[in-house]
Amino acid sequence: MSNSEQTANTDRHQQKMQKHKEKVDAAIARAQEERGVIIVLTGNGKGKSSSGFGTVIRTLGHGYKAGLVQFIKGTWDCGEAKILATLPGLTHEVMGSGFTWETQNKEQDQRAFDAVWPKAKAMLSNPELRTVMLDEITYMLAYDLLDFDELKTALENRPPEQNVILTGRGAPTALRDLADTVTEMKMEKHAFKAGVKAQAGIEW
Amino acid sequence: MSNSEQTANTDRHQQKMQKHKEKVDAAIARAQEERGVIIVLTGNGKGKSSSGFGTVIRTLGHGYKAGLVQFIKGTWDCGEAKILATLPGLTHEVMGSGFTWETQNKEQDQRAFDAVWPKAKAMLSNPELRTVMLDEITYMLAYDLLDFDELKTALENRPPEQNVILTGRGAPTALRDLADTVTEMKMEKHAFKAGVKAQAGIEW
C-alpha cells in the first residue's frame, strides 16, 4: 500500500467511526428517563440464566444490593451458586424442589413454590434491592404454580428504581408486553445436541 | 374441583412429567463425548457479555481456573470487572483502547490489539485454563484488527478440555461453523431504545 493509499484508508476509517460516534451519542442523549427496568431473557438458546447472573454481578460490582430467587436450579452442585454465596450484598433464595419432571408431583411443587414466593414478593417491595432476579420463573407460570396477575401486581408495585430480571423459556406474551427489555435467545447450535456431554462450569 | 377430578389432574401431570423425564434422560444418555466446546454468543440483543461472565463464574465456582480477555470494555467503570477482579482463579486482560468509534484511529486500535492478542493466545494454549472468554472479539474481526485464520488456528490448537466463549454482534459464518454452541440473542425490545437511560449495574 502506498503512503497516499494508507492516508486515504485512515481517513475513511476515521470518517466512518465519527459517523458511528454521532449515532451512539444521539441515542445516549435521547435516553434520559431514569427508572428501573423489567428485563426478560427467554428463548431456547444457552445463556439466559448465566446472563442474568452476570447482570446481578454487575449490580453488586457497583456497590448496590441485589436479590436472587432460583425457582428450579440452585439446590444442587451449581458453580454460580457457590460464587454468588460469597458475594456481599446478595440475598439468595432457592425454591429447591428441583425440576418438575423429576418430582412428578404437582402438589409438592405447589407447596415448594408457595413457600418461596412470599420471599420473592418481599424482595420486589424492598427499595434497598437495586436488582432482583427471578431465575426460571417462566416455568412457574407454564406449570400454573404462579398466576400471571399475581406476578404482574408484584412487578407493577415494586420500587421505581428497582430492576427485575426474569428468565426461562417460553415467556408468555403478557410478560413480554410488561417488560422494557426482551431478549429472545435463539439456539442456532448446541454442543449437547451434537453429543457432547453436559459439563460442570458450562451447563451448571 | 371434586376429589376424583383432582386425582385425574394429578395423574395427568404425573404422566406428562414422566414423559418429559424420559426425553431428558435419553438426551443425557446420548451425549457422552467429553471435550471442551466453543460457544458463540452473538446477535443484537442484551445479554451476550453478561452471559459469558455468568459462565466464567460457573467455571470458577467448580474450582477450575479461567481466563478473560476484554477487547472493548473493561477499562472504565464496569461492575463485572470489579467483582471478577476479586475472584481467585481468574486471569483477566483488557485491551483497553475503548470503543473504536471513540478512538477513531485504526493504527492506535491495531497497536492496542497487537499488544493484547499474544496474551489471549497464551491463554488458548494453557491447559490449566478450563474456560477462556474472548469478550467482544467479533468487533476485532469486523474492523480487520484480527485475521479470522489467526483466530481459527488458535482455537483449533487449544487444549482439548478447554472451553472458549466468544461474544459480540455479527459473528461471521466461519466462526459460527467452527463453534459447537451458538446463541443468537435477538433484541425483541430494549429499554434504552424506548428512552430509558443506560444505567450502572445493568448496561455496564
Side-chain angles (χ1 to χ4, degrees), chain A residues 15 19 40-41 52 62 103 112 120 126 133 149 168 176 201:
Chain A
Q15 280 160 15
K19 225 169 142 181
V40 170
L41 304 171
H62 288 285
T103 61
N126 182 351
M133 175 174 172
D149 288 336
R176 293 173 194 241

Side-chain angles (χ1 to χ4, degrees), chain A residues 144-188:
Chain A
D144 293 321
L145 301 171
L146 167 63
D147 188 61
F148 178 72
D149 288 336
E150 169 77 8
L151 174 63
K152 187 180 178 191
T153 303
L155 290 174
E156 286 177 340
N157 294 325
R158 75 191 198 283
E161 307 259 283
Q162 190 180 78
N163 301 295
V164 186
I165 303 166
L166 304 102
T167 77
R169 292 183 182 209
T173 307
L175 181 58
R176 293 173 194 241
D177 287 347
L178 199 61
D180 299 286
T181 297
V182 179
T183 304
E184 172 83 25
M185 301 200 179
K186 216 178 124 250
M187 179 169 59
E188 204 174 283

